[in-house]
Amino acid sequence: MIERLESIDRALFFFINEKHNPFWDQVMKHISGHFEWIPVYILILVVAFWKFGWKKGLIFFLCLAVSVGLADLISFEVFKKGFQRYRPGHNLEIMDQVHLLVKEDGTLDRGG
């Protein structure tokens, strides 16, 4: 059963991964970065403070920060450690077939 799920998982991954093109590569580079999201976070905060006022906006911000922090913690501690699977780019069996936007040192390849 596990082998069947892994084969479906791998087939789905390759189906999506082989659809890359220069336009979507650039889009993925930008949405994968950390600093590119700062304007979105600022916009969410501005709208929250404008819509809810100072006190409720602060409560909204704190709830949002706790939610994001818990989601990150749970995804790492429970899922990543629990499943113990290689990321496709680190899986020695398939890494030569994977189109990555990441350089050898793990940073995003920002070049064309």
Side-chain angles (χ1 to χ4, degrees):
M1 179 67 176
I2 293 296
E3 294 84 17
R4 178 77 177 129
L5 288 174
E6 286 178 351
S7 115
I8 292 170
D9 181 50
R10 193 172 285 189
L12 181 61
F13 170 77
F14 280 125
F15 174 77
I16 294 168
N17 186 254
E18 70 187 14
K19 302 294 182 200
H20 68 88
N21 65 47
F23 172 77
W24 287 112
D25 285 353
Q26 290 300 316
V27 170
M28 293 309 291
K29 284 179 191 178
H30 290 290
I31 67 171
S32 297
H34 298 291
F35 297 111
E36 285 81 353
W37 287 95
I38 290 174
V40 175
Y41 300 144
I42 291 171
L43 179 64
I44 289 170
L45 289 176
V46 167
V47 169
F49 285 112
W50 175 71
K51 179 98 172 143
F52 301 124
W54 191 86
K55 287 182 181 179
K56 287 183 180 178
L58 183 60
I59 292 170
F60 172 82
F61 170 72
L62 293 174
C63 289
L64 184 64
V66 168
S67 298
V68 169
L70 283 174
D72 187 56
L73 180 71
I74 290 169
S75 68
F76 178 75
E77 292 295 332
V78 175
F79 297 126
K80 189 172 183 178
K81 287 185 176 181
F83 292 123
Q84 295 183 350
R85 294 180 58 202
Y86 287 115
R87 295 181 65 94
H90 298 135
N91 186 335
L92 297 176
E93 296 176 14
I94 64 171
M95 69 185 303
D96 59 332
Q97 303 167 38
V98 176
H99 174 73
L100 294 176
L101 299 177
V102 179
K103 295 189 272 185
E104 292 287 325
D105 63 1
T107 60
L108 280 174
D109 179 9
R110 299 272 182 195

